Amino acid sequence: MGGELAPETNADAYRRRMARRKEVQQQRVGERTLEKGLVLVFTGDGKGKTTAALGLVLRTLGHGEQVAVVQFIKGGWQPGEAKALELFGDALHWHALGEGFTWETQDRDRDRDLVQQAWQRSLLYLADAERKLVVLDEVNVALKLGYLQIEQVLEGLAMRPALTHVALTGRGAPPALVERADLVTEMKLLRHPFREQGVKAQAGIEF
């Protein structure tokens, strides 16, 4: 450990150990030469799953690459990030193809049709080598509700170009998707202002 957690009280001893640590880290980095398109899953009950994926969107756009975002379930409103990212023009394709939560839509057949339409749109982007990153937002929820089958998703992931990254978000990622993923982050809920304090959804925080 470094910083105030280091055992050394002598500055020279600290510098020597940090220099050794740097050499080890540089060697580790140098040994990692593989480049591939990654499957990244952001799941769990905590807030931040879509936010994490959109952080990747911003990074990818910042490198001059093209991105596609397909939102399942969501679509009853235009979130702030969609408005802000309009600045990137055709480099970003954004589709909110749902109509909201199931208790709002109250129509299973229409919800199912919209999810399948969103998936067909997703397949176009997954097959497009020009798209460096494809975000399938809330696709895990569509899977959980039975509107989309895990076999469809795994087949779609398998067909993408070798260097295309895919981020899949939403609670309840199925085990088969977790097993297939290269990176899985589970957001854990510890506190939430809506639950503990009765704070409403606020612009810039929730949407």
Side-chain angles (χ1 to χ4, degrees), residues 58-76:
L58 195 58
R59 283 181 178 175
T60 304
L61 291 170
H63 285 289
E65 302 285 358
Q66 295 188 36
V67 176
V69 177
V70 179
Q71 291 191 301
F72 295 76
I73 311 299
K74 294 177 182 175

Side-chain angles (χ1 to χ4, degrees), residues 16-64:
R16 286 195 296 271
R17 190 165 67 83
M18 288 299 104
R20 290 195 299 271
R21 173 69 185 275
K22 181 179 179 180
E23 290 175 2
V24 171
Q25 189 66 20
Q26 287 177 332
Q27 180 180 350
R28 291 178 64 196
V29 171
E31 291 171 350
R32 271 80 174 163
T33 58
L34 177 63
E35 184 176 5
K36 59 175 285 191
L38 299 175
V39 175
L40 310 107
V41 173
F42 300 104
T43 192
D45 293 335
K47 178 174 167 53
K49 298 176 286 293
T50 296
T51 304
L54 292 177
L56 296 177
V57 169
L58 195 58
R59 283 181 178 175
T60 304
L61 291 170
H63 285 289

Side-chain angles (χ1 to χ4, degrees), residues 128-187:
D128 183 2
E130 296 298 316
R131 298 286 155 181
K132 184 69 172 180
L133 171 67
V134 179
V135 174
L136 306 179
D137 187 40
E138 301 291 0
V139 69
N140 294 337
V141 176
L143 286 164
K144 184 177 180 179
L145 293 173
Y147 295 156
L148 189 63
Q149 301 304 309
I150 185 60
E151 292 79 12
Q152 292 178 271
V153 174
L154 295 179
E155 289 173 7
L157 295 177
M159 65 174 279
R160 73 194 200 285
L163 296 179
T164 297
H165 304 304
V166 186
L168 306 95
T169 78
R171 298 184 179 205
L177 179 58
V178 171
E179 180 65 25
R180 170 60 188 85
D182 299 289
L183 179 147
V184 180
T185 297
E186 183 176 14
M187 311 300 187

Side-chain angles (χ1 to χ4, degrees), residues 167-207:
L168 306 95
T169 78
R171 298 184 179 205
L177 179 58
V178 171
E179 180 65 25
R180 170 60 188 85
D182 299 289
L183 179 147
V184 180
T185 297
E186 183 176 14
M187 311 300 187
K188 183 178 180 181
L189 178 64
L190 297 180
R191 292 182 62 84
H192 198 295
F194 179 86
R195 187 178 66 177
E196 280 91 19
Q197 303 174 46
V199 177
K200 70 176 185 178
Q202 300 177 92
I205 301 297
E206 300 290 345
F207 59 91

